[in-house]
């Protein structure tokens, strides 16, 4: 895993719907800083106290922290709006983020490369491609920017 994050600007090649997503992890995101200590970063990264409290409690009682945590792209499987959210796995627990626009939980999506600069997004846990929430187009133009920390 890289120890720096990347800023991605993703834009629908048809209608211009876009998201600027910070993906990966920052320099301060050691497991120690994120999950342990007096003020674990997790609370802020997750933005949901109920989720973070239960996870921090699990960590304190010895649950294993998978090392693939970081900001990832999430999409609603119904209306396809995109978000960048903090992913982690502690014991068997992964975060569940509600779509703000409907009753579904957001699901992780990943890059399924097309030609240079153009990409499609695929849902990680199912064989389904993302499409633009505004126009239904499946192709995005991707600009990747310098690292962030
Ligand atoms: Zn579109
Ligand atoms: Zn939704």
């Amino acid at each position: 895993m890289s120890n720096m994050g990347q800023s991605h600007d993703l834009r629908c090649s048809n209608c211009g719907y876009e998201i600027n997503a910070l993906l990966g992890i920052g320099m301060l995101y050691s497991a120690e800083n994120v999950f342990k200590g007096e003020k674990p970063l997790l609370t802020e990264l997750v933005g949901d106290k109920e989720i973070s409290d239960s996870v921090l409690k699990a960590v304190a009682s010895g649950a294993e922290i998978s090392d693939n945590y970081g900001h990832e792209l999430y999409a609603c499987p119904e209306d396809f709006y995109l978000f960048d959210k903090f992913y982690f796995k502690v014991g068997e627990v992964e975060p569940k983020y509600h779509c703000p626009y409907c009753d579904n939980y957001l699901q992780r999506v990943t890059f399924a490369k097309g030609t240079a600069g153009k990409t499609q997004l695929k849902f990680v846990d199912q064989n389904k491609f993302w499409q633009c929430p505004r126009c239904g187009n499946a192709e995005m133009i991707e600009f990747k920017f310098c690292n962030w920390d």
Side-chain angles (χ1 to χ4, degrees), residues 76 78-79 99 101-102 104:
C76 174
E78 283 303 315
D79 53 45
C99 174
Y101 306 117
C102 72
N104 287 283

Side-chain angles (χ1 to χ4, degrees), residues 81 105 124 136:
Y81 280 100
Y105 286 114
V124 171

Side-chain angles (χ1 to χ4, degrees), residues 66-91:
S66 298
D67 64 7
N68 61 342
Y69 59 84
H71 297 278
E72 296 208 18
L73 262 188
Y74 278 78
C76 174
E78 283 303 315
D79 53 45
F80 297 109
Y81 280 100
L82 288 171
F83 306 88
D84 57 348
K85 296 281 186 188
F86 192 73
Y87 171 79
F88 59 82
K89 189 172 182 194
V90 166

Side-chain angles (χ1 to χ4, degrees), residues 19-37:
I19 179 177
N20 179 258
L22 295 177
L23 304 178
I25 58 169
M27 278 172 27
L28 298 176
Y29 287 25
S30 66
E32 195 67 30
N33 286 347
V34 172
F35 296 98
K36 296 170 185 174

Side-chain angles (χ1 to χ4, degrees), residues 9-27:
D9 192 53
L10 290 159
R11 190 178 308 154
C12 172
S13 65
N14 183 52
C15 77
Y17 166 77
E18 68 179 334
I19 179 177
N20 179 258
L22 295 177
L23 304 178
I25 58 169
M27 278 172 27

